Amino acid sequence: MRVVIAEDSVLLREGLTRLLTDRGHDVVAGVGDAEALIKTIDELAAQSALPDVVVADVRMPPTHTDEGVRAAVQLRRDHPGVGVLVLSQYVEEQYATELLAGSSRGVGYLLKDRVAEVREFVDAVVRVARGGTALDPEVVAQLLGRSRKQDVLAGLTPREREVLGLMAEGRTNSAIAKQLVVSDGAVEKHVSNIFQKLGLSPSEGDHRRVLAVLTYLNS
């Protein structure tokens, strides 16, 4: 896996680089601001050497407001084949929604605290690089919470809402079954019921299923 890291904290940038390289991945560049990120990706594109995924902080110089997420949105538009995983100190629903607008393929939004859970973090980076979704449980909770206020999920049972939340995080049916300590068949039934109640047609791949759910939640 080829990775570009955009993080203005040198310590965190070096830490992420070490964490990924120790697990056999290739960090092809590390930059400290959004302008350098866009320039680096454009240069790699010109060399036909785009990375599989970009890991970027939401807030970067010069204003430390939304430069990182703006760059991430631009990259998703200009280079849709590159996965983008953004890191944030807090859940910022506006940024999460903007990042997910249009498509949730190859996208992730994690809180920085999640980096400490090394295995889960690396799994999330790999999943996004492969075109999947990786959303922090806190982000999912806020998106689902907003939808509940709008009575969007009123027809779902508590268990179906729980399954939907895990689906939105990017979990597979097997992972959901393990998390909830139920059979794969039970999860498949819940997923089928969720799509039926939300008026969504189930598709063949887990990522398409997640895309449909997130598209509905963001509508």
Side-chain angles (χ1 to χ4, degrees):
M1 184 175 67
R2 290 166 47 81
V3 187
V4 169
I5 297 175
E7 166 60 58
D8 62 296
S9 167
V10 176
L11 286 178
L12 181 54
R13 187 167 71 240
E14 292 300 319
L16 291 173
T17 299
R18 178 67 179 273
L19 188 155
L20 291 168
T21 55
D22 282 352
R23 283 154 183 79
H25 302 298
D26 183 13
V27 177
V28 297
V31 299
D33 61 71
E35 183 177 349
L37 172 60
I38 296 298
K39 181 180 179 181
T40 297
I41 297 301
D42 287 344
E43 290 175 348
L44 290 171
Q47 301 167 19
S48 298
L50 280 171
D52 299 300
V53 61
V54 170
V55 179
D57 192 355
V58 165
R59 299 173 181 268
M60 287 194 288
T63 68
H64 292 280
T65 54
D66 62 354
E67 283 88 351
V69 75
R70 295 293 179 195
V73 170
Q74 181 177 335
L75 289 177
R76 282 171 56 71
R77 181 182 65 246
D78 296 345
H79 306 285
V82 177
V84 176
L85 173 63
V86 299
L87 302 176
S88 179
Q89 193 69 39
Y90 311 101
V91 176
E92 301 184 70
E93 188 177 319
Q94 177 183 348
Y95 295 159
T97 302
E98 186 171 1
L99 190 67
L100 292 166
S103 171
S104 63
R105 177 176 174 77
V107 64
Y109 187 113
L110 297 180
L111 295 183
K112 286 188 174 181
D113 288 347
R114 210 65 61 184
V115 176
E117 299 170 13
V118 175
R119 182 175 178 179
E120 288 191 18
F121 171 71
V122 175
D123 285 348
V125 176
V126 172
R127 190 158 69 241
V128 170
R130 292 175 176 172
T133 306
L135 294 182
D136 197 283
E138 293 292 332
V139 175
V140 173
Q142 286 205 18
L143 292 176
L144 292 178
R146 181 186 65 184
S147 297
R148 279 197 290 272
K149 292 175 184 177
Q150 299 171 347
D151 292 328
V152 173
L153 308 180
L156 301 185
T157 67
R159 175 62 89 181
E160 288 166 353
R161 290 182 180 182
E162 193 172 10
V163 170
L164 178 59
L166 292 170
M167 286 170 60
E169 289 177 29
R171 309 273 182 170
T172 63
N173 282 1
S174 295
I176 293 173
K178 184 176 180 180
Q179 176 84 12
L180 301 181
V181 195
V182 298
S183 68
D184 288 359
V187 173
E188 290 174 4
K189 183 176 180 180
H190 287 312
V191 170
S192 177
N193 289 340
I194 288 168
F195 279 104
Q196 182 178 5
K197 291 180 179 180
L198 297 184
L200 299 169
S201 300
S203 57
E204 295 180 0
D206 289 326
H207 303 323
R208 286 182 178 271
R209 212 163 54 239
V210 173
L211 172 60
V213 172
L214 293 178
T215 300
Y216 186 83
L217 291 177
N218 287 323
S219 63

